[in-house]
Amino acid sequence: MAAQPIDDHQLYTDDTTGSTPVPAGLRIPPVERQAPIHPDPVAGPGRPPVMWLLGAHGGAGVSTLARVWAPAADALGGWPAADRYRSVIVVARTHRTGLAAAHDLLLQAAAGLVGGCTVIGLALVPDAPGKLPKTLRRSADVVASAAPVVWHLPWVPDLRVHTADDLAPWSPAEPDPTPPGRLRAQVTSAASPHPGLVAAGHAAFDAARTAAATR
């Protein structure tokens, strides 16, 4: 699933090789830029995840989010069509490769080529601290327009020095961590999840719960 650069209004060419009908006039990425549909359940034994994190490309940040967000799990690069819950969050970095790959998956979902899964949102993970350059902001806006909702996740510097197993998880079933205030720099991600990740986790979980209730 190789990403291609996107222009502000690029929607790619029609794919007519598949057997699934798609809406007339909808532009979708070619098959080689689509994520596969898992024929078997991805979830292991135990309580199934309520929401799935589908990385649009390698290094998107799925492993970190799957650890921090207890109700979520890694979709392993494909659409979890055979699982009990099929709410999917596309995850991508904010560099051009990541945005292009996310756009591919969102257009694939818009065409209904995801085995009955539902994209509930797009999680954009910063690829560097600070504001995006103007050209990337413009591309991010185009990609965001293809998603039902977008969560712009914060840049968390200390995530770079922790493994996924080190990170403190967040669960909607437990009280939120106490806001750190001015002491945030002294609270590591191994002790408490970043408030921005907690806020986005709440919103994502609510969206997944709503999607599950309407099935």
Side-chain angles (χ1 to χ4, degrees), residues 26-175:
L26 180 67
R27 298 247 184 234
I28 60 175
V31 173
E32 62 269 20
R33 296 212 304 268
Q34 298 179 25
I37 297 172
H38 291 304
D40 302 309
V42 180
R47 179 178 294 180
V50 177
M51 53 193 185
W52 292 96
L53 306 175
L54 176 52
H57 56 92
V62 167
S63 296
T64 297
L65 286 178
R67 170 62 182 176
V68 174
W69 290 347
D74 187 346
L76 303 180
W79 302 99
D83 281 270
R84 178 179 176 184
Y85 299 117
R86 290 172 287 171
S87 294
V88 175
I89 298 170
V90 174
V91 183
R93 295 279 178 179
T94 52
H95 47 55
R96 187 164 295 279
T97 296
L99 293 172
H103 204 205
D104 282 339
L105 296 187
L106 293 170
L107 293 174
Q108 180 185 356
L113 303 176
V114 294
C117 294
T118 300
V119 172
I120 59 172
L122 168 66
L124 289 179
V125 181
D127 66 298
K131 294 182 178 180
L132 287 176
K134 183 177 180 179
T135 56
L136 287 181
R137 289 201 306 271
R138 192 182 304 125
S139 293
D141 288 343
V142 173
V143 176
S145 69
V149 65
V150 181
W151 297 292
H152 294 271
L153 303 186
W155 173 260
V156 186
D158 79 303
L159 287 177
R160 302 172 66 190
V161 300
H162 296 294
T163 67
D165 290 341
D166 293 336
L167 302 178
W170 162 81
S171 170
E174 299 176 359

